[in-house]
């Protein structure tokens, strides 16, 4: 329901306008000529957004404190952080929907809290997290609501209004839904309709609150691709995004919020670090580079302190040493999991640019020798592509395997140039195997190499990526949990790779640090109710009815 306290909303038309934050009485001097606005919307220029020393409370609950940030024109900036960090509240304050206790918000050098709702709605459009509407309007009418800030309250749509609506419907691929009632379309379709409404509003700034939260993976990508296109064509966009991988993929910069304050601001690779995630989310996580998108990907792992004394050595003993043999994303994931769990890890042989080599380099960069996490640094045996192992490479590899407390095969590929890696493996009593593809697809060295590899498998322990830490701990403790025999259902057996897809699915089941589901800024129900009661006293603006707290 509306948060207005100064007048009743009695007719459906007025209520529909309030759902996008319009209909407030203009203060003296705020009214501008409609023709001027229509001309301006045809020549959009992205607007800068500046937040200065913003503080906001709901009763005794402090939600934001001295938050300051600057967003450049034409940027796509993502707000990330744990539940209750203040992401949605900050968005609402930027939109003008709620008034801060102190501090200012300017869009295109205009203080959004010093102008009318109509005026601020010409500066910023909002796509709320809650896209439900109170009445069964046709989709076209919902999109046309975005045009209300550009004409007087009871004026009929102009030719420019109708053109803007058609462009928005076409851009969001909702034209075929135009005559359907909004309550008869799916949640994903309704999300696109509300985005179309914001596009039709033709503002230089766009705010989105969890725009992918209720969408399947295909529509998540579709939505963020569209936002990216809008930014490239002349918008400044800000979005609260709980999926850190998607935020890193699509945003130019990220603002990491924690405990109601701005923890960090920068490019995704600057903000998404293991240390920053540990401080903001209280999580043990590793950040690697996605080999397909080239952007950061975050994986949450069990607390390193939970690794037993026989594992990561968290009780004060030196950490166990693990060597990883393999390349590509499987080896990269294994390296990241082991290093983040507190093991001393080495990997190789790998070539420069391989996913495992890049992951090792990144972990080492985040863990300088003088830091508390120095055992995250990963030693790497690096070789030239397509070249046979040199004597020095082989000696370095043998040294790592000899010193290792356990050795992990992570989709180890055998070629004519590297099959010599099998020689030192004969001394490994119980290797750990993480295999997501059949050996037939990884063996280019012939039948003899296959037989030697399978001999290693017969005395090994086979685990999926999700269970790698348990497998390592089992081997180190001598329990031998997970010991396997070669059988035709395993992807490592060169009989039939039909089961490889199932195992790949299982190996890909890694936990993501996604900020969990959306919740109110207050952690408890009583605090959330108190915040809602406080909202009732705040005059409504573009976001007050549609947004919900983090």
């Amino acid at each position: 329901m509306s948060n207005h306290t100064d007048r009743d909303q009695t007719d459906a038309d007025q209520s529909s306008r309030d759902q996008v934050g319009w209909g407030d009485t203009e203060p003296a001097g705020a009214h501008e000529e409609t023709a001027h606005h229509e001309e301006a919307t045809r020549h959009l220029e992205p607007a800068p957004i500046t937040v200065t020393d913003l503080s906001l409370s709901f009763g005794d609950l402090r939600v934001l404190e001295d938050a300051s940030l600057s967003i450049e024109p034409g940027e796509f900036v993502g707000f990330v952080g744990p539940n209750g960090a203040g992401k949605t509240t900050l968005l609402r304050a930027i939109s003008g929907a709620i008034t801060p206790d102190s501090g200012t918000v300017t869009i295109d050098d205009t203080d959004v809290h010093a102008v009318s709702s109509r005026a601020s709605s010409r500066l910023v459009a909002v796509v709320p997290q809650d896209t439900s509407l109170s009445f069964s309007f046709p989709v076209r009418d919902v999109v046309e609501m975005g045009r209300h800030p550009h004409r007087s309250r009871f004026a009929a749509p102009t030719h420019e209004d109708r053109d803007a609506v058609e462009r928005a419907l076409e851009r969001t691929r909702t034209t075929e839904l135009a005559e359907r009632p909004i309550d008869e379309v799916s949640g994903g379709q309704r999300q696109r309709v509300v985005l179309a409404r914001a596009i039709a509003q033709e503002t230089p700034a766009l705010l989105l609150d969890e725009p992918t939260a209720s969408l399947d993976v295909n529509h998540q990508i579709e939505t963020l691709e569209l936002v990216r296109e809008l930014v490239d064509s002349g918008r400044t966009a800000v979005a609260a995004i709980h999926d850190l991988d998607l935020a890193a993929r699509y945003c130019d910069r990220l603002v990491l919020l924690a405990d109601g304050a701005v923890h960090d601001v920068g490019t995704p690779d600057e903000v998404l670090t293991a240390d920053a995630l540990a401080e903001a989310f209280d999580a043990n996580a590793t950040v690697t580079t996605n080999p397909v998108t080239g952007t950061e990907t975050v994986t949450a792992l069990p607390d390193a302190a939970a690794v037993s004394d026989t594992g990561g050595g968290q009780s004060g003993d030196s950490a166990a040493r693990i060597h990883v043999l393999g390349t590509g994303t499987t080896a990269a994931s294994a390296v990241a999991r082991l290093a983040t769990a507190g093991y001393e890890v080495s990997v190789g042989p790998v070539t420069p640019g391989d996913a495992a080599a890049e992951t090792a380099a990144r972990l080492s960069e985040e863990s300088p020798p003088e830091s508390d996490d120095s055992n995250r640094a990963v030693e790497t045996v690096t070789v030239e592509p397509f070249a046979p192992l040199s004597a020095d490479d082989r000696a370095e590899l043998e040294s790592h395997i000899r010193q290792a407390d356990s050795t992990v095969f992570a989709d180890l590929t055998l070629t004519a140039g590297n099959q010599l890696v099998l020689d030192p493996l004969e001394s490994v009593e119980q290797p750990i195997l993480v295999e997501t593809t059949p050996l037939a697809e990884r063996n280019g060295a012939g039948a003899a190499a296959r037989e030697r590899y399978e001999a290693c498998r017969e005395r090994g322990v086979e685990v999926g990526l999700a269970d790698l830490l348990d497998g390592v701990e089992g081997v180190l403790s001598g329990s031998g949990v997970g010991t396997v025999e070669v059988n035709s259902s395993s992807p490592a057996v060169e009989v039939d790779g039909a089961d490889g897809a199932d195992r790949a699915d299982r190996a890909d089941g890694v936990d993501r640090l996604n900020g969990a589901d959306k919740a109110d800024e207050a952690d408890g129900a009583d605090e959330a109710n108190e915040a809602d009661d406080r909202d009732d006293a705040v005059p409504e603006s573009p976001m007050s009815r549609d947004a919900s707290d983090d």
Side-chain angles (χ1 to χ4, degrees), residues 64-88:
L64 292 172
E65 185 167 4
D66 296 330
S68 295
L69 58 99
S70 295
I71 299 171
E72 297 299 321
E75 273 194 309
F76 184 8
V77 173
F79 289 173
V80 297
N83 292 337
K87 301 185 294 295
T88 293

Side-chain angles (χ1 to χ4, degrees), residues 248-407:
R249 179 174 173 181
Y250 286 98
C251 295
D252 299 309
R253 289 193 301 151
L254 299 179
V255 176
L256 177 59
L257 296 166
D259 298 323
V262 175
H263 183 281
D264 203 0
V265 180
T267 59
D269 65 309
E270 294 171 340
V271 172
L272 297 180
T273 66
D275 289 341
L277 296 174
E279 293 173 7
F281 289 89
D282 192 25
N284 185 35
T286 185
V287 184
T288 56
T289 300
N290 186 308
V292 177
T293 64
T295 56
E296 286 65 37
T297 184
V298 177
T299 303
L301 300 172
D303 189 344
V307 179
S308 74
D309 295 343
T310 58
Q314 298 297 317
S315 64
D317 299 331
S318 60
R321 297 176 61 91
I322 311 294
H323 184 75
V324 177
L325 275 163
T327 56
T329 56
T330 303
S333 296
V335 167
R337 286 173 175 272
L338 292 166
T340 306
Y343 294 101
E344 292 187 14
V345 182
S346 56
V347 62
V350 291
T351 58
D354 180 83
E358 292 186 351
T359 297
R362 176 154 188 160
L363 289 167
S364 297
E365 289 174 0
E366 294 181 353
S367 308
E370 65 275 9
S371 73
D372 293 337
D373 294 327
S374 59
N375 61 337
R376 281 191 179 183
V378 178
E379 297 182 48
T380 307
V381 181
T382 306
V383 298
E384 293 301 317
F386 309 111
L389 286 178
S390 67
D392 289 344
D393 294 335
R394 184 175 177 183
E396 184 179 5
L397 173 63
E398 289 175 349
S399 175
H400 281 301
I401 293 177
R402 184 171 58 254
Q403 296 178 48
D405 297 294
S406 183
T407 300

Side-chain angles (χ1 to χ4, degrees), residues 20 133 137-146 182 193-194 197:
V20 288
L133 298 176
F137 296 107
V139 164
R140 187 185 302 279
D141 288 0
V142 173
V143 177
E144 191 182 299
M145 293 175 191
I182 188 63
V193 171
V194 175
R197 181 180 68 186

Side-chain angles (χ1 to χ4, degrees), residues 39 59 64-65 70 85 99 101 112 129 136-137 145 152 172 207 215 234 239 245 326 348 371 377 415 429 444 470 479:
E39 181 67 23
L64 292 172
E65 185 167 4
S70 295
T99 302
D101 301 332
V112 298
Q129 184 181 148
S136 184
F137 296 107
M145 293 175 191
S152 60
T172 55
L207 306 180
L215 303 180
D245 291 0
S371 73
T415 66
E429 294 183 0
D470 290 338
S479 68

Side-chain angles (χ1 to χ4, degrees), residues 15 36 60 110 138 146 167 195 236 285 296 312 392 396 412 455 517 535 539:
S15 178
H36 170 75
D60 295 331
T110 299
R167 287 193 300 269
L195 181 56
T236 300
E296 286 65 37
D392 289 344
E396 184 179 5
L412 175 62
D517 296 330
D535 274 351

Side-chain angles (χ1 to χ4, degrees), residues 38 45 73 84 92 110 112 117 146 162-164 214 248 250 269 276 301 352 367 406 409 437 457 470 500 509 544:
E38 291 174 351
E45 292 292 338
R92 297 179 69 189
T110 299
V112 298
S117 172
R162 288 189 288 270
D163 285 348
S214 60
Y250 286 98
D269 65 309
L301 300 172
S367 308
S406 183
F409 298 3
T437 57
R457 288 195 75 257
D470 290 338
S544 57

